[in-house]
Amino acid sequence: METEAPSMENPKISAYYQTRLAHFGVVSTEWLAQAQSATNPNPPLPSSSTNSHTDKDTNFSVIDEFNRWRNHPDLAEAVAAIRALAAVISASKASTMMQLEIELKNASDTLKAWDTTSISLTAASDLFMRYVTRTSALEFEDFNSAKARLIERADKFGEISYKARKIIGMLSQDFIFDGCTILVHGFSRVVFEVLKLAAHNKKRFRVFCTEGRPDRTGLRLSNDLAKLDVPVKLVIDSAVAYTMDEVDLVLVGADGVVESGGIINMMGTYQIALVAKSMNKPVYVAAESYKFARHYPLDQKDLAPALRPVDFGVPIPSKVEVECSARDYTPPQYLTLLFTDLGVLTPSVVSDELIQLYL
Amino acid sequence: MKDQSNSSKQQKPKLTKAERRELQEAQRAAKAAAKGEGNKASATATSANARPAKAVKPAQKSDNASVAATEKKGGDFPHEKDRKKDVPQPRLQYDDKSRVEKAKRRSVVKQTEARNRVELFRHLPQYEHGSQLPDLEAKFFDLYPMHPAVYKVGLQYISGDISGGNDRCIAMLQAFQEAIKDYKVPPEKSLGRDLTAKIGSYVSFLIECRPLSISMGNAIRFLKSQIAKLPLTLSESEAKTSLQADIERFISEKIVLANKVIVKHAVTKIRDGDVLLTYGSSLAVEMILLHAHELGKQFRVVIVDSRPKLRGQQLLRRLVEKGLNCTYTHINGVSYIMHEVSRVFLGAESILSNGTVYSRVGTASVAMVAHAARVPVIVCCEAYKFHERVQLDSICSNELGDPEVISNVPGRMDVNHLNGWADIENLQLLNLIYDAMPSDYVSMIVTDYGMVPPTSVPVIVREYGREQVWI
């Protein structure tokens, strides 16, 4: 699969960000090569996973399945992983529950190893494993019925995750009132869904987009929002404090939601949350529930690093170091509410949910 | 009327509000477990057991601080009436002479009220230290109803040989194991109720020696619920073995194994180049530091210590033996050294439902300084020490230690300014044992359930309650 090749050529860029870049056609010097090597930019979504299995031989590759699902740009990576794992259960030739669990564990480890820096991938795989194997169906005598039950739960989890964005969109509508100004950082498909739905409901609001260097997410988002006739204003990252007075609420997505209730998101989120807190503006996070991860960072350096080279446009002398981390950690005290498919929650609920699931 | 009852109940243990509350909590669960029948049976059983031994006991223990005692009891009076209804064990009822007599006969430990008590802490018991031990040691072979193992543990508590939440809990549980092994059901009595009553009497004795810690309270609740859950079809020996096995499992799972899990989670938070600060001597923290050192991580340790116990010195000795790089300082230097520190690891006596951490006095100050310096504070505590109680300050429930140790500095005879402090009317020395740290100062709690934020403590208490192993 071609999109995997770049991860080997350029190990400095985490595969997670490469995928995101690959999906969105913002052209730059580094990505032209990727775009050229991609043969099939928009393959059709696979209809049913079972059809493909009949012509596969015994070594069913979960990575292939994953990539097949992942190619659709609208599909979140984690959902693709969940669907792939569900497919593993269907295709499994195991005859006992223990074997099936081992197969699932191996598949999940393979997926996680594909990109170790992606938190939502790891979180989704872990949650899937817990959710699926937690069923009391495991006590059934008949393996086939137990397996059918597992497949049912897996599909259900996949459906929930897939629909998560719609649910979050609907839940957040109450928080966007007429005449409000929303500050958005980073390109989160969930946040975009929220704004799209609000525009569709004929709400009057305007959006400030941060430029989002170095990914230039702001440019992309402002493009898309302009197409929806939403008034957009682009601000450079340093102008956030300057414009914060006019802002009514801050809305961001999340790469992962950690156990303390904080979030890991694109670089710059922490800064914005700090400014918002000091000016008493609410910070809302829109995140699906499969992003709840069992990490607990205590400070910024506690995260697994995900590096992203920054292109300044001019060559930098080699003696100068560049901070190229792609994401930061925002502690829970700066977040007001989380919009998830489980409902609108406070940050402290994340740990409650995780404890109940992992107990 | 008050004076009369006063002189006759001199040596009765002064169960104060806080103690009664704790005892009441522990026994409310027992009451719920042995509902309906247990009340009268246990009360009479206990006093019946106590009577033969206690009749010998002389009632004369003249205490000159009776004035202070009177005032206190006057204030406490209305509360006893309320508690009278739902507590199986007889409480201190100052107008009810028969109950007072019973309590006096029941008590094993003769306690002298301390002099010069601090007004704010009158609700906590305070006795002269060092006065009971020789007397009790002499009575070791006399006391029929008290099992020698339990008696021994009680003495060890009084003398301070065993201190520290885990040690006390384990010692108590092992003593109970012994007691259960030697227990024989009296004829015409059911094992469940009688054993519960017996355990209750042991617990009262231990309370008189030293107020229960929260972890001990939880362990006792567990034991009583296990007794209550015994199926009636079991024979006596089967029941006893099952209970002993339960206690064994409790100790190994909730304490020993829990500590191992805590260590496994917490070492992931130690990185190379870290400077870790710890206060006093906590078993969990010590295990974490040693394990991290074994894993080859490069870090420094700062041990903050405080008088009068100076327990950090023992930790220091053990760490230096294993080759760790240590710095030792007193608590008055903590704000000076905090800017060098990257993480703070603290132990806890208990964690309450609102996230308040109840631990050795001084821990809250260290956490406060760490919070001000934006250093993450990690509290390591086994889940069996969690409690559903809520506490807002360190005053309403605490323990008072011996004030003498404040006035004496061992090894420094020239520091004798406080000699004879007890004679000075308006001088009171206060030796608090515990303090309560608000949840804002805590970044993370490491338990055997993993790493959780302080807001998740009630969830764990609730989930714990659902498991069959626990209450």
Side-chain angles (χ1 to χ4, degrees), chain A residues 199-266:
Chain A
H200 183 72
N201 288 341
K202 304 274 185 292
K203 294 213 181 193
R204 297 180 182 287
F205 60 98
R206 62 180 177 148
V207 177
F208 286 359
C209 280
T210 55
E211 187 193 356
R213 274 189 50 84
D215 293 328
R216 289 182 250 159
T217 56
L219 305 177
R220 219 159 47 221
L221 183 62
S222 50
N223 247 338
D224 290 338
L225 282 175
K227 288 190 198 133
L228 296 172
D229 286 332
V230 174
V232 183
K233 185 168 178 179
L234 263 181
V235 302
I236 56 173
D237 297 329
S238 353
V240 165
Y242 178 79
T243 54
M244 190 58 82
D245 271 336
E246 303 171 48
V247 167
D248 291 310
L249 61 108
V250 179
L251 187 58
V252 292
D255 283 349
V257 181
V258 292
E259 204 159 357
S260 59
I263 58 167
I264 298 185
N265 199 18
M266 177 174 154

Side-chain angles (χ1 to χ4, degrees), chain B residues 165-440:
Chain B
N166 278 341
D167 291 334
R168 284 170 66 189
C169 193
I170 293 179
M172 178 189 76
L173 285 177
Q174 285 174 339
F176 282 168
Q177 256 185 327
E178 286 283 324
I180 290 179
K181 193 164 74 142
D182 296 338
Y183 172 71
K184 297 242 177 317
V185 185
E188 306 294 327
K189 287 227 167 102
S190 95
L191 176 121
R193 296 172 214 155
D194 192 57
L195 188 53
T196 310
K198 227 176 170 52
I199 300 277
S201 72
Y202 294 160
V203 168
S204 316
F205 168 68
L206 290 178
I207 291 180
E208 290 165 20
C209 297
R210 192 175 156 184
L212 285 185
S213 68
I214 296 184
S215 52
M216 288 166 71
N218 284 346
I220 292 169
R221 255 199 292 182
F222 163 76
L223 182 58
K224 288 190 174 169
S225 76
Q226 291 300 104
I227 296 177
K229 277 200 275 205
L230 284 177
L232 296 169
T233 53
L234 281 187
S235 77
E236 182 182 322
S237 58
E238 279 174 3
K240 286 186 345 185
T241 8
S242 141
L243 283 178
Q244 285 180 284
D246 280 338
I247 294 182
E248 197 56 49
R249 192 165 44 99
F250 184 87
I251 295 180
S252 73
E253 270 181 31
K254 302 279 186 251
I255 305 181
V256 175
L257 200 59
N259 270 321
K260 295 211 176 88
V261 173
I262 289 177
V263 168
K264 190 173 69 105
H265 284 291
V267 288
T268 57
K269 289 298 169 197
I270 302 181
R271 309 161 301 195
D272 285 341
D274 264 348
V275 179
L276 309 175
L277 185 136
T278 182
Y279 175 76
S281 157
S282 155
L283 174 70
V285 174
E286 186 182 335
M287 285 170 70
I288 293 170
L289 295 174
L290 290 176
H291 188 65
H293 186 70
E294 275 168 37
L295 291 178
K297 304 207 181 194
Q298 303 295 323
F299 58 93
R300 262 178 55 205
V301 179
V302 177
I303 300 176
V304 176
D305 205 3
S306 75
R307 263 186 28 90
K309 295 225 169 125
L310 289 175
R311 308 191 66 214
Q313 289 182 349
Q314 303 160 15
L315 175 65
L316 177 70
R317 201 178 293 278
R318 291 193 288 261
L319 291 182
V320 168
E321 262 171 12
K322 294 280 162 75
L324 273 86
N325 214 336
C326 299
T327 307
Y328 178 84
T329 178
H330 227 61
I331 194 166
N332 43 13
V334 70
S335 53
Y336 177 78
I337 202 142
M338 193 53 80
H339 74 275
E340 294 180 2
V341 174
S342 62
R343 301 248 195 276
V344 174
F345 279 87
L346 298 172
E349 174 66 32
S350 161
I351 304 190
L352 308 175
S353 249
N354 58 343
T356 304
V357 177
Y358 191 70
S359 52
R360 290 273 159 189
V361 71
T363 318
S365 315
V366 172
M368 188 166 73
V369 174
H371 179 76
R374 296 185 62 92
V375 174
V377 172
I378 302 168
V379 174
C380 310
C381 182
E382 300 88 341
Y384 85 100
K385 288 181 180 164
F386 287 13
H387 201 275
E388 68 222 357
R389 206 170 84 191
V390 169
Q391 194 169 324
L392 301 176
D393 55 38
S394 315
I395 301 175
C396 56
S397 169
N398 208 322
E399 195 182 324
L400 292 177
D402 186 10
E404 285 293 325
V405 296
I406 298 184
S407 58
N408 300 332
V409 180
R412 293 284 301 271
M413 291 300 119
D414 51 327
V415 183
N416 60 352
H417 313 287
L418 287 179
N419 281 354
W421 62 273
D423 300 323
I424 306 176
E425 273 297 315
N426 40 2
L427 176 62
Q428 294 117 15
L429 295 191
L430 178 66
N431 184 4
L432 280 179
I433 306 279
Y434 296 117
D435 67 13
M437 177 201 314
S439 59
D440 310 329

Side-chain angles (χ1 to χ4, degrees), chain B residues 113-128:
Chain B
E113 269 257 335
R115 299 183 285 167
N116 282 28
R117 301 180 53 150
V118 178
E119 193 63 44
L120 194 58
F121 290 94
R122 282 277 177 78
H123 60 282
L124 300 174
Q126 181 155 13
Y127 305 114
E128 299 269 333

